[in-house]
Amino acid sequence: MHSTIIRSPRALAPVRRGFVRRNLPYLLIAPSVIMLLALIAYPLLFALKSSFYFWNLQVGPEPMAFVGLDNYVQAINAFDFRAALTNTLILSVLGTAIEFGLGLAIALVLLKTLPGMNVVRALLILPTTIAPIVVGFLFRYLYDPGGGLLTWVLQSLWLPVPAEGILGSPSTALAAILFVDIWQWTPFFAIVLYASLLAVPDEIIEAARLDRASAWTILMRIKLPLIRRTAIIIVMLRFMQIFNTFDTVLVLTRGGPGTTTRTLGYSLYEQGLVNFNVGLVSAMTWITVLIVNVIVALYVFFAFRNEEW
Amino acid sequence: MTFDIGNMSRRNMLKSASVATLLASGVGSLVAPRDAGAQDTNTVRVLSVEDPFFFSMKAMIPEFEKETGIKVELESLSYDALQTRLVSAFVAKTSDADVIAVDQMWLGQYLDNGWIISLNDFIAKDSDIDLSDFIPEVLYSSNMWRGQIGTLPVAAYAQGVMYRKDIFDNFGIAAPPTKASEDWTWTKYVETLKSLEGKSFDGKPLFPTVICGSQPSPITHMFTQLSVSHGANWFKSFPGAPWDFSPQLTAPAWAKSVEIYRQLYKLSPPEAINYVWFDAGTRFAKGDIGMFYWWTPYFYLVKNSGYMTGKKSDVMDKYATAALPKADGVAQTVSLGGWSLGVPSSSERQDNGYAFIKWATSKVTQKKMAQWPDLNYQFSDFARVSLYEDDEVKAIYPYLDVQYAMMKQGNGKITRPPVPGYTAVESVLGLTLNQLLTGSEDPKTALERTNSLFESILKGNLMIPYQKESFADTLDGANALIGTLGKA
């Protein structure tokens, strides 16, 4: 025999309060999750679906045929895609490593109490505040073979400058783009690492000095381990940013000469916003996303394998 | 179910966040244009590229507003930004403009996709547009697609030669002819340039010529004038019907043209490998180039030191123009291109749009644009025959006879076929040409490889075999359409 218990509205209130209390964390993050799904998951799934279709806006406004993996095969077999991947990896790895090294060196100098250091700190951040496309135009003039400042400096130092110009030679063009990135983003490393180094307790450094530890030992055994987490995160961020390099390539070389400065970002731009091949660019996007994720996942695994984060 | 925030794995949470961020970075966002429908019906929104015609057209707009009472909202963008903005808006079916600037290459795509409307009906009902005053070769090349006039030309470009009179006189070199002739060939052109090799003038070393080397579009624009002069075709059958887009880059005319273009590069400043349109064009204005060929807007742009600066160049009174050379035994074809104006199908003010186009492309407005004195008179890209015969305009732009003769030999549909999928094959050709300038690869081998890439791209784009209906797109057909619409 069943009995029905009828609760008064007053009696229901604790039930509702209990539901809210139990699910509060979900309710709090729900807006973020909805935004993520709408702005990230949906476009990605849309791109995934598009990557299996022939859809070129130059040929027709709608997807025209299911082509399976054809777009992926076409993307991988295009020789400029492979060149773009190689160039992108070179830029990302070298750029991140050099910017980190230089940034750390600058951060250590900034710790010194030298005259004018406040002005230096303020000026240092300036390059990172300039839009990359503007930086591209700036360096286009600096690299100009007919009197650009950087060309003149190299010639004054008796260093060889190619007749085609720094941006016109296959042997120097990629390095020139790397240099632009280093110029603009090394200060980012410097400022962030400087802030982290400021947080290292003076007592520890002082104690190490009393134990007659060298500056090198203090750096390697105390300072770097204490700023390790920050360093790992900003290295990851910069790697991902450089992986998407596009603006400076567009302005400086348009991927040339040949394919020597073509990057994945530039290839995506060309296929998507010049050739309007939605299917192909969707496949290229997914290949790029997978490559970046594999690299970052491996990086995160090795960087944080001994700790909870 | 409970959710213990204290035990939540930060590792998992950060991993998810980083993955999500990475994924987001791989996907571009579409531009969200303004809604035209929400605006006043007595306005017209014009979206233009910032080519030279834009500046003089902008200066004339108060006159249009006064004449019609229609307020103009004019916006300009760079070439790449305009194309991106337009296509993004069309895909989203929310174009924010009533008039758009359309490059010659985009017309087929825009009309086939229904992104712009045909102007046939507007023109047929219009008794004073004077269609017969337009150069038929220009309308055919830039404005017609499948028997429809999709746009009207606001700035028409051909290609021609510019050379330094003083340098030629100094070295006793005969001036190139102002009219096409059987003697004025590409072989003669290269020989003339070679006679300037190693020379200095006014204490500065000379470069005999300058070329455009940047990929993909700039180098293709310049190279294809050379190739079409030699009789090269991109496809087996286009624009004549039936359309067959089997690529023809293995034909001898392509390899021959590459050889000549390489010679021209060797006679140019080495940094020309990275030159885009205006880099090559305005390099001549610096004073150390003997002769070059390029789009006809440079007939006036070289008067400025720099692109649209208004600052007089060193060569302002020292250069002259000449006819484009031809190849031995091949009838000349001149590359035609330029900008036209069209009305998006999404516009709710199509009448206003047409009124603006009619005004901007009219003889009266084009003449006023030509007579606008700022920037050292920077507009002579006429598509109307009457302006090439106008003495007042000719007094400002003395080279108009040469330019008109080039226009009359023009066929933009053969030089750079405005077919669906064009930019995809252009990017491959531009890359190959750029590589051939700096490398030592045999042109024949490189072009065979490019031909097979073309074939693969065109098959991938469902262009081989062509699956839609062909159209017999000939100049005669264009003339017939002009006659029909003009008489209506």
Side-chain angles (χ1 to χ4, degrees), chain A:
Chain A
M1 183 179 167
H2 296 283
S3 63
T4 303
I5 301 170
I6 299 173
R7 291 180 175 167
S8 68
R10 186 179 292 273
L12 280 172
V15 176
R16 278 205 297 269
R17 277 203 297 273
F19 172 82
V20 170
R21 192 167 54 243
R22 278 200 308 280
N23 295 291
L24 183 62
Y26 291 117
L27 294 172
L28 288 174
I29 65 165
S32 305
V33 171
I34 290 166
M35 289 291 282
L36 280 174
L37 288 174
L39 298 176
I40 296 171
Y42 173 74
L44 267 174
L45 291 174
F46 182 76
L48 183 64
K49 183 188 169 192
S50 302
S51 71
F52 299 120
Y53 283 83
F54 169 70
W55 185 8
N56 187 334
L57 296 175
Q58 289 190 79
V59 179
E62 306 291 340
M64 289 171 70
F66 181 81
V67 293
L69 293 173
D70 277 7
N71 285 324
Y72 289 88
V73 173
Q74 200 179 337
I76 291 166
N77 285 339
F79 65 94
D80 54 341
F81 181 81
R82 276 171 275 167
L85 178 61
T86 308
N87 293 336
T88 305
L89 285 170
I90 291 171
L91 281 177
S92 307
V93 173
L94 280 182
T96 309
I98 294 170
E99 286 166 27
F100 176 79
L102 286 175
L104 180 63
I106 293 169
L108 291 168
V109 173
L110 288 177
L111 285 174
K112 309 281 182 193
T113 46
L114 298 171
M117 204 50 91
N118 286 336
V119 180
V120 172
R121 286 186 203 111
L123 289 176
L124 195 62
I125 200 70
L126 281 180
T128 59
T129 62
I130 306 172
I133 201 142
V134 177
V135 172
F137 278 111
L138 174 70
F139 273 84
R140 196 178 160 91
Y141 291 112
L142 292 175
Y143 285 136
D144 191 307
L149 181 65
L150 287 170
T151 304
W152 176 81
V153 168
L154 289 174
Q155 286 168 336
S156 302
L157 295 171
W158 299 96
L159 291 168
V161 176
E164 312 90 294
I166 295 166
L167 295 172
S169 167
S171 59
T172 52
L174 189 65
I177 287 174
L178 179 63
F179 180 78
V180 174
D181 199 84
I182 291 168
W183 176 85
Q184 183 169 27
W185 290 104
T186 294
F188 168 75
F189 276 95
I191 296 296
V192 175
L193 293 174
Y194 170 64
S196 301
L197 287 168
L198 283 179
V200 175
D202 289 340
E203 299 80 16
I204 301 176
I205 306 292
E206 203 55 41
R209 284 194 183 126
L210 288 172
D211 288 340
R212 299 192 175 180
S214 66
W216 179 252
T217 306
I218 292 172
L219 173 66
M220 299 305 288
R221 297 287 179 89
I222 298 172
K223 289 181 178 173
L224 281 184
L226 286 175
I227 64 167
R228 184 170 171 270
R229 289 183 176 204
T230 305
I232 288 171
I233 295 294
I234 59 169
V235 162
M236 186 174 77
L237 287 175
R238 269 308 294 155
F239 180 86
M240 292 188 297
Q241 280 179 329
I242 304 180
F243 212 88
N244 289 324
T245 296
F246 152 69
D247 339 45
T248 43
V249 173
L250 176 73
V251 175
L252 289 173
T253 61
R254 287 182 171 249
T259 55
T260 49
T261 60
R262 185 173 286 262
T263 60
L264 285 175
Y266 184 79
S267 293
L268 289 174
Y269 157 78
E270 189 177 62
Q271 289 301 337
L273 296 174
V274 178
N275 298 341
F276 296 109
N277 195 332
V278 181
L280 181 61
V281 81
S282 298
M284 288 169 69
T285 299
W286 266 94
I287 293 171
T288 307
V289 164
L290 290 173
I291 292 169
V292 175
N293 274 282
V294 167
I295 293 172
V296 172
L298 286 171
Y299 173 79
V300 166
F301 174 78
F302 286 108
F304 287 107
R305 63 181 160 177
N306 293 325
E307 53 191 305
E308 175 67 27
W309 67 290

Side-chain angles (χ1 to χ4, degrees), chain A residues 22-23 25-26 29 36 39-40 43-44 47 54-62 64-65 74 77-80 140 144-146 163-170 229 233 236-237 240 244 250 252-259 262 266 268-271 273-277 285-286 289-290 292-293 296 300-301 304-309, chain B residues 1-5 8-15 18-27 30 80-81 83-84 87-88 91 93 108-109 112-113 115 214-218 265 269-279 286 419-428 431-432 434-435 438 449 453 456-457 460-463 467-468:
Chain A
R22 278 200 308 280
N23 295 291
Y26 291 117
I29 65 165
L36 280 174
L39 298 176
I40 296 171
L44 267 174
F54 169 70
W55 185 8
N56 187 334
L57 296 175
Q58 289 190 79
V59 179
E62 306 291 340
M64 289 171 70
Q74 200 179 337
N77 285 339
F79 65 94
D80 54 341
R140 196 178 160 91
D144 191 307
E164 312 90 294
I166 295 166
L167 295 172
S169 167
R229 289 183 176 204
I233 295 294
M236 186 174 77
L237 287 175
M240 292 188 297
N244 289 324
L250 176 73
L252 289 173
T253 61
R254 287 182 171 249
T259 55
R262 185 173 286 262
Y266 184 79
L268 289 174
Y269 157 78
E270 189 177 62
Q271 289 301 337
L273 296 174
V274 178
N275 298 341
F276 296 109
N277 195 332
T285 299
W286 266 94
V289 164
L290 290 173
V292 175
N293 274 282
V296 172
V300 166
F301 174 78
F304 287 107
R305 63 181 160 177
N306 293 325
E307 53 191 305
E308 175 67 27
W309 67 290
Chain B
M1 189 167 73
T2 59
F3 194 101
D4 185 355
I5 221 162
M8 183 180 173
S9 164
R10 276 176 293 157
R11 177 185 298 210
N12 287 336
M13 196 161 193
L14 281 174
K15 267 183 187 169
S18 63
V19 168
T21 309
L22 276 171
L23 295 180
S25 68
V27 180
L30 291 178
D80 293 339
Q83 194 183 18
T84 303
V87 175
S88 302
V91 171
K93 297 183 173 67
Q109 177 191 3
D112 276 357
N113 289 348
W115 290 339
S214 179
Q215 58 174 304
S217 306
Y265 177 53
E271 65 267 29
I273 188 71
N274 264 344
Y275 277 2
V276 297
W277 299 273
F278 55 83
D279 291 324
K286 286 189 176 174
V419 299
Y422 166 80
T423 57
V425 286
E426 184 195 60
S427 54
V428 174
L431 172 60
T432 303
N434 182 267
Q435 286 175 319
T438 50
R449 189 183 64 241
L453 274 170
S456 163
I457 291 169
N461 283 348
L462 311 182
M463 300 281 287
Q467 299 181 2
K468 292 183 181 173

Side-chain angles (χ1 to χ4, degrees), chain B residues 312-331:
Chain B
K312 290 179 183 176
S313 73
D314 293 341
V315 305
M316 183 154 175
D317 303 313
K318 299 172 184 170
Y319 76 97
T321 58
L324 205 63
K326 65 186 288 299
D328 286 313
V330 182

